[in-house]
Amino acid sequence: MSLRLDFNAPDFEQSFAAFLTTKREVSADVDAIAAEIIARIQAEGDAALIDYTKRFDHLDLSETGIAVTEAEIDAAVASVDPETYAALELAHERITAHHARQMPSDDRYTDAIGVELGSRWTAIEAVGLYVPGGTASYPSSVLMNAVPAKVAGVERLVITVPSPRGELNPLVLAAARLVGVSEIYRVGGAQAVAALAYGTETIAPVAKIVGPGNAFVAAAKRRVFGTVGIDMIAGPSEVLIIADGNNDPAWLAADMIAQAEHDTGAQSILITDDATLADAVEAEMERQIARLPRGETAAASWRDFGAVIVVPDLEDAVPLANRIAAEHLELAMDDAEAFIPKIRNAGAIFVGRHTPEVIGDYVGGTNHVLPTARSARFSSGLTVLDFVKRTSILKLGPDQLRAIGPAAIALARAENLDGHAASVAIRLNMES
Amino acid sequence: MSLRLDFNAPDFEQSFAAFLTTKREVSADVDAIAAEIIARIQAEGDAALIDYTKRFDHLDLSETGIAVTEAEIDAAVASVDPETYAALELAHERITAHHARQMPSDDRYTDAIGVELGSRWTAIEAVGLYVPGGTASYPSSVLMNAVPAKVAGVERLVITVPSPRGELNPLVLAAARLVGVSEIYRVGGAQAVAALAYGTETIAPVAKIVGPGNAFVAAAKRRVFGTVGIDMIAGPSEVLIIADGNNDPAWLAADMIAQAEHDTGAQSILITDDATLADAVEAEMERQIARLPRGETAAASWRDFGAVIVVPDLEDAVPLANRIAAEHLELAMDDAEAFIPKIRNAGAIFVGRHTPEVIGDYVGGTNHVLPTARSARFSSGLTVLDFVKRTSILKLGPDQLRAIGPAAIALARAENLDGHAASVAIRLNMES
């Protein structure tokens, strides 16, 4: 059974604190294997890539080629049914429009004593996007990761996607074509991450790698971090719904299940001030899960990690929500708008009863790559900012150096860095 | 001898590529020790903190207390000489003024079909700043790390600083007081990082840890990442100077040495189109290093990692500089301003002959925490953005859900996520 917590119970704080520290990830010992794979790709390049792909994906790249061809992408696009393709286009258009607003502005100014200062933003030159294979090969993830990179101005955008027994998801190729991805390679796992980071004869190295993947991909990304940039390592997904009594329990149950069907490690949490609604949602979930194709996954997620918290007043939900720091937060209540400013920690907020979280997964326009496992306390969802970097600019003339140079000399001396002091003093004809 | 590369030599590309991959960090095997320390702090809290501090810092915290007292900070501030204190104040003022311009703006708008979208920025609630002890205990680093946090609106800003045999740098305490740090604890090493991440009886946990440290601190930060946020793990510092022939070699030599005196792993690189200047700079460096207190460190850095690259034309420096992606880039040339747009990858640019990099270390106003080891290709120096996080906002009414909901259903079905499709369909009275 999922957890049920009563705010007024004497052990509530203790139970809630324990709930917050629940681990939802399987910690497989995959790091050593990832390290070995990376070392072989570095040493042997394409040959190792071909070998691993034979072993793990049962595919001979020496026959198919490592790169997916334009003809294959053309065929994939042609095979997508028109309704789905139109949905993909709408999603692409809406995500692009939203992310275009995120581009940071350069800043250059002169202060009161004539020092010029500035910040200049430039796009990362080359980015690799890891796309999982098989059932987790989601076209929506391609859009969510690739669009911000494209908006940022990344010139070279490379996809790696494993192709078990040669199969590729046509929608993934169609999404890549829509965004304008430069290159697609049919490789996956730690070997794909290593190829992106260090390069092989076929795949030129990139400067940053983003995108979801299994434990081997995550371990490889951690290992190549420093050589290249990486995005956050995402954990299982979660939703928190704060609901008043005026809700259709079937709607809320559907939203809880949409989260739970992702993964047995996913988490759905309901906080409400209406115990009757809580019961109704739980009953509805049972009914809906029974007829769901991924019902077993949803049932396991709900049983192991689901929770319902009944509070005396919705105000009491505020500190709890800020401690949970949910990836997705639905505000299903009368004046949801007034509730927004109370929320400090959340990846994304879905406001009101007509904004199911699923809209944000696909076509809302906001990004669905969001901080999981309470990391919304210190990090943000994917944005254009993840694909640009900032260079600071400082410019002094002789007058400005005379004005603030002596203070730099004083601090350098206080830190026993006499060479630092000398580099300023020599320009001021001072003794260092 | 430092490396000398000639652009016109037949093996230049090969030598330059090898130069780019030079490792400058000692890879000590400290991870297992860091893991053990973290586990003990988690299990035993203050008791373990006291024990480790006895062992590593030769200090009995049960006598001194873990927290530095207000009286100690008062005494430290009183002991600082007025000139140095005034320099610290000037630095604080200038760094604050520059970083205040970096605060991102919230965005909230309604699109053509009535969907409301937004981005809301909030400060991280609690941040820990690690300050090294001993000779590397720099007041300038306290300012550079703490000011952006303060500008961002971080309420609780905690410093940990080891206090070997009870010693604390009064300037570090004075800088902490200037910025308005909330709490200071006299602990260091992996044990301080663990205490900040997991909390002890005395130290409440924070949500993010920033600041430089030795190999144990870096290993501990990598390990607690996920539970808390961390900043980048900085490597040894580096400077690249691009210089025309119109320079005083003594000035350039002083700047090269200011970098080299930091650390035997530091790196100073000169690119010039004037071979005579290159010779003169090298000769000047030898002269200046001979009379420098930290001359041995500078000499080792210069010998092992220093480089001079002579190019036929300064234009040839552009691609090399973008591949080096230096932490610090000095443009010591006639029209330095015109050179800025050519530079894509650099942590900070110091424009013109009167802007030695050292000004940026202390009083320029820009941050001195910058990406090292070529990571300016994909990352940025420390900014206010590192202390805020973004929550995205999405709000639909029934009309908007009718307009874009069907596309979400189509994509969810294409991804075999029927629970996702159902969560939208149930609100549209559609079959899922």
Side-chain angles (χ1 to χ4, degrees), chain A residues 201-215:
Chain A
E201 296 88 331
T202 302
I203 305 178
V206 300
K208 184 165 185 170
I209 302 174
V210 301
N214 63 20

Side-chain angles (χ1 to χ4, degrees), chain A residues 244 331 333-340 351 353:
Chain A
D244 62 19
L331 300 179
M333 57 185 70
D334 281 341
D335 192 1
E337 186 67 39
F339 216 82
I340 299 175
V351 185
R353 308 183 214 288

